[in-house]
Amino acid sequence: MNIYQTDKLWKFPHYEVGEPINWKLLSDKFDWLSDMKGVAQDPIWHSEGDVYIHTKMVVEALVALDEYKRLNPQQQHILFASAIFHDIEKRLTTKTEIIDGIERITSPRHAKRGESTVRSMLYKAWETPFEIREQIAKLVRHHGLPLFVLERDNPQKEVIKVSLMLDTSLLYLLAKADVLGRECEDKEDILLRIELFKELCLEYECFGKPRAFGSDYARFLYLNREDIMLGYEPYDDLKFSVYMMCAVPASGKDYYINKHLDMPILSLDNIRREHNIKPTDKKGTGRVVQMAKEQAKVYMRKKQSFVFNATNITRDMRGRWISLFLEYRARVKIIYLEVPYKQLKKQNINREYPVPPKVIDRLFDRLEIPSFDEGYEVVYVYQN
């Protein structure tokens, strides 16, 4: 789906394109914004002041760009949100540490933590459409990539991979505003890096659009193997598939499976219930996992396709199972399910085995949306 052609325009609250930004109103309305006040930054990179001052400067620099003014309204609101959110978790990650004998101010992993915070807030409180929410969350997560992509081991693969998650033309503008909205000695050098990021994306046909591949299999192999060249089209001789479900509880996994997937089901919850093992029993959970692995091997030795039904909400959770499936040369297909937050709560109340609401909230806060390097095919099924 094209996120810029939705039926209804999603807007960042209390902001209208082309009108002056009311920073006092925004600070009064949003605690996370006012929390940025007084959060120090390293003067080598940010001599302009604290995170709040920097955020204001970034947003003001963004909306003044001619490129921003040429965007359509939906793109403008997405980018405005990404800019005002981009350093949201410096408030909780900033610390001082000694580096090379000098006291420095750092904010380790603030972008990754910011992604989760923004995703949860836009889902639970703001009821943001899935495509728009994920674009904003991923822009927050990767806002620093254009500054450092050329230092990575494989810059080509980095820009191609990120193009499958977000609009790189918006990432380019966000990074540009991030630099314009600060005071530092090497500003011109950093701006040059961002222009080189744009040129790299253009060279590999992924600026403002996802890089195209001949097949899902070609994409998966390219993203996961160093010996696969861009443009290589492999012969797909895989004999069976594993359909990996991914969703927080009460999202409708069982309903989807019953309606769309007519094949054996390997369910961790079913194994728990059959053996009367509670989810909070850590030792028992180990037994459940071992039993599930043995059953999966039975299917895979016979080259029989099956559904793996579990929450699988983090990349680490999925990765442990995917490694097993790949050992048996399975075609791994990940199906991510999501319903609106209000509907999720209703479905949880009505299900046979309801989950405490606080547990569902915690699980969503930990959620990592599957990406295309995890499975041969990744399908997103959602209701806005």
Side-chain angles (χ1 to χ4, degrees), residues 14 26 136 154 179 239 264 281 359 374:
H14 313 295
L26 292 174
I136 296 169
N154 192 334
V179 178
K239 304 300 183 183
D281 182 349
V359 173
E374 294 182 73

Side-chain angles (χ1 to χ4, degrees), residues 50 52 61 110 165 177 211 216 260-261 282 301 356:
D50 63 23
Y52 179 73
H110 75 277
M165 306 178 192
R211 168 72 195 204
D216 294 333
H260 300 285
L261 301 173
K282 292 184 179 180
R301 290 189 192 107

Side-chain angles (χ1 to χ4, degrees), residues 46-62:
H46 293 281
S47 61
E48 72 275 3
D50 63 23
V51 176
Y52 179 73
I53 292 172
H54 169 60
T55 298
K56 285 180 62 178
M57 291 175 65
V58 169
V59 173
E60 295 287 0
L62 173 71

Side-chain angles (χ1 to χ4, degrees), residues 73-314:
Q74 188 60 85
Q75 291 172 307
Q76 289 173 320
H77 278 278
I78 287 172
L79 204 45
F80 181 93
S82 304
I84 203 169
F85 285 142
H86 82 285
D87 279 344
I88 188 172
E89 284 305 358
K90 279 188 175 180
R91 58 188 178 152
L92 296 180
T93 60
T94 297
K95 63 179 182 178
T96 57
E97 57 181 316
I98 303 300
I99 302 176
D100 297 331
I102 302 173
E103 185 175 84
R104 302 291 296 274
I105 301 172
T106 64
S107 304
R109 300 173 70 81
H110 75 277
K112 181 175 176 60
R113 188 163 181 171
E115 175 190 5
S116 296
T117 297
V118 168
R119 174 177 292 119
S120 291
M121 180 169 63
L122 293 180
Y123 176 66
K124 297 176 188 176
W126 291 23
E127 299 180 340
T128 307
F130 175 84
E131 316 96 314
I132 293 172
R133 183 197 78 211
E134 285 306 304
Q135 191 77 185
I136 296 169
K138 290 300 183 183
L139 284 166
V140 170
R141 172 67 179 90
H142 296 285
H143 71 266
L145 179 66
L147 282 68
F148 305 109
V149 68
L150 294 178
E151 300 172 12
R152 300 291 178 85
D153 292 337
N154 192 334
Q156 167 193 306
K157 186 167 290 188
E158 290 288 340
V159 297
I160 289 174
K161 183 177 179 179
V162 82
S163 79
L164 302 173
M165 306 178 192
L166 53 76
D167 185 332
T168 51
S169 67
L170 299 189
L171 181 60
Y172 161 75
L173 291 179
L174 177 60
K176 188 174 181 179
D178 190 13
V179 178
L180 293 173
R182 70 172 74 184
E183 296 297 334
C184 60
E185 293 183 359
D186 56 351
K187 182 182 286 190
E188 292 304 317
D189 176 63
I190 302 175
L191 286 171
L192 176 59
R193 293 189 209 176
I194 294 169
E195 293 302 320
L196 292 175
F197 165 80
K198 178 180 179 180
E199 291 303 316
L200 193 62
C201 291
L202 287 169
E203 179 180 356
Y204 291 104
E205 301 176 1
C206 61
F207 186 70
K209 60 183 180 181
R211 168 72 195 204
F213 285 86
S215 66
D216 294 333
Y217 193 19
R219 179 183 61 204
F220 178 80
L221 292 181
Y222 171 76
L223 293 175
N224 285 281
R225 285 174 45 179
E226 294 302 323
D227 61 329
I228 299 296
M229 300 296 291
L230 191 62
Y232 170 70
E233 189 58 48
Y235 173 66
D236 187 349
D237 61 348
L238 303 176
K239 304 300 183 183
F240 70 103
S241 299
V242 176
Y243 294 80
M244 171 180 275
M245 307 305 296
C246 172
V248 297
S251 297
K253 294 191 298 297
D254 292 340
Y255 176 81
Y256 181 91
I257 292 168
N258 291 335
K259 186 174 182 180
H260 300 285
L261 301 173
D262 184 16
M263 64 189 70
I265 301 168
L266 176 57
S267 167
L268 296 188
D269 283 344
N270 287 347
I271 293 175
R272 284 194 187 94
R273 291 170 192 138
E274 288 171 10
H275 295 84
N276 198 27
I277 298 173
K278 296 181 179 179
T280 54
D281 182 349
K282 292 184 179 180
K283 187 175 180 179
T285 296
R287 289 173 50 214
V288 169
V289 169
Q290 193 56 43
M291 286 186 281
K293 285 183 176 179
E294 292 305 317
Q295 182 58 58
K297 291 175 183 177
V298 171
Y299 290 137
M300 293 190 292
R301 290 189 192 107
K302 295 189 295 184
K303 308 298 182 187
Q304 182 174 10
S305 296
F306 67 95
V307 178
F308 177 55
N309 188 12
T311 55
N312 296 314
I313 59 170
T314 69

